[in-house]
Amino acid sequence: MLANTQDPLIVAGRTFQSRLIIGTGKFADYQQNADALTASGAEIVTVAVRRVNLSDPSAPMLADFIDPASTTYLPNTAGCFTGEDAVRTLRLAREAGGWNLVKLEVLSDPKHLYPDMEETMRALALLKSDGFDVMVYCTDDPVFARKLEDQGADAIMPLAAPIGSGLGILNPVNIRLIVEQTKVPVVVDAGVGTPSDAVIAMELGCDAVLANSAIAAAKDPVRMARAMKHAVIAGREAYLAGRMPKKMYADPSSPLAGLI
C-alpha cells in the first residue's frame, strides 16, 4: 500500500509522500535500522548527532546503511539540556553533512525528559537567525505551540507522552487544539507505542507521526515498522474521509419501515 501521492507532507518547502518519520536509535544495529526503514516507507530519519556515528570511518557508519542521498536525515539535539548545547550540536551537524532541516529538542529533567520550553524558544530564535529550518519538539501545550509557530518554527512536534514510554496519546484534546490552530505541520513526537496510537494521532488531524522506540523496541522491529506505515496511512485516510457522528442511541443500517 502506498501513501496517497496527491496528499503530500510539506515541511519547510520540502515534499514527502510518507507521513511516517522513524528514528535511528535503539536498533540492534544499522542493518536492522535500514531494514525497518525500508518496511516503513519513511523518507525521513531522525539522527541524534551526539549518539550516531556520522563521521568516523573506523567504525560502522549510519550512512553505509541508510543513504543520505535518498533518505532525508533530520539531525536532532537528543541529550541537550541547554539552548547553547542544542545550537552548537546542530551547527556541527550542518558542517558535517550540510543538513539545514533539523529537529530541536532541549530537555529538562532526565527522569521525564519533558522539553524545557523556555530554553527551546531561546534556541529556536538562535537557529532561525542562523538560517536553519527547524522542527521543534515541545510539550502538548497549545499556548507554547502558538508561540513557537509565531517565532518561525517550521513544524510543531508535541509529545504524546514521555519519550520512550509507549503510553500513547495521553491528551488528545490538547493535540487537537494544537492541530486546529497551527498552519505549519504538526507531528506527534514521543510516546507512541503501537500502530493504534499512530492511527489516533492521524485521525486527530496531525500531519505526521514520529516513531522510534515503538519500532526499535518491538520484538520484530521490521514488522512493526510495516504496521506503522499502514497505521499512518489508514489514520490519514480516515481523517480526510470524515468520521460518522457519534449518537446516543442505535441507528439501524437498514430502515425499519416497510419490512416484509
Side-chain angles (χ1 to χ4, degrees):
M1 182 186 296
L2 298 176
N4 182 352
T5 56
Q6 301 305 312
D7 180 38
L9 170 67
I10 301 175
V11 182
R14 300 163 177 81
T15 301
F16 305 96
Q17 300 307 321
S18 172
R19 291 177 178 270
L20 174 62
I21 302 170
I22 75 166
T24 52
K26 298 184 179 180
F27 288 92
D29 50 43
Y30 288 147
Q31 185 59 60
Q32 186 186 70
N33 197 167
D35 292 342
L37 174 64
T38 299
S40 75
E43 298 165 83
I44 305 173
V45 293
T46 59
V47 179
V49 179
R50 290 184 158 194
R51 298 171 181 162
V52 172
N53 181 23
L54 296 172
S55 58
D56 180 5
S58 67
M61 294 175 60
L62 180 64
D64 294 334
F65 297 85
I66 298 176
D67 185 359
S70 57
T71 298
T72 297
Y73 277 30
L74 182 66
N76 71 34
T77 55
C80 292
F81 289 83
T82 69
E84 284 82 7
D85 281 350
V87 171
R88 186 182 309 112
T89 298
L90 293 176
R91 284 173 176 164
L92 289 172
R94 183 164 63 181
E95 290 178 11
W99 297 297
N100 198 61
L101 178 65
V102 297
K103 177 191 166 186
L104 171 65
E105 57 181 86
V106 184
L107 305 175
S108 52
D109 190 318
K111 183 175 182 179
H112 55 64
L113 297 180
Y114 268 67
D116 182 327
M117 292 309 301
E118 291 180 348
E119 285 291 287
T120 297
M121 293 184 66
R122 192 164 65 85
L124 173 60
L126 291 170
L127 290 168
K128 292 301 295 185
S129 67
D130 204 12
F132 284 92
D133 297 323
V134 191
M135 303 172 69
V136 187
Y137 170 62
C138 60
T139 57
D140 59 351
D141 181 341
V143 177
F144 270 119
R146 173 70 60 80
K147 290 180 178 180
L148 291 171
E149 184 177 11
D150 290 344
Q151 198 168 300
D154 294 278
I156 305 298
M157 306 180 77
L159 55 82
I163 291 174
S165 68
L167 292 172
I169 297 177
L170 299 182
N171 198 336
V173 173
N174 276 19
I175 297 296
R176 180 64 187 177
L177 288 172
I178 291 171
V179 167
E180 289 178 352
Q181 73 181 21
T182 306
K183 295 182 174 61
V184 298
V186 175
V187 182
V188 160
D189 177 11
V192 168
T194 68
S196 60
D197 297 331
V199 170
I200 292 170
M202 299 305 292
E203 287 183 345
L204 287 170
C206 293
D207 296 280
V209 168
L210 194 158
N212 187 75
S213 297
I215 295 173
K219 291 182 179 179
D220 185 339
V222 175
R223 177 164 284 183
M224 184 60 77
R226 187 177 303 114
M228 286 290 182
K229 175 182 72 172
H230 294 305
V232 168
I233 293 171
R236 179 65 177 176
E237 290 291 291
Y239 171 72
L240 294 176
R243 66 155 292 145
M244 63 168 285
K246 294 182 179 180
K247 301 177 182 179
M248 289 293 294
Y249 303 102
D251 184 4
S253 299
S254 301
L256 295 178
L259 297 179
I260 295 175

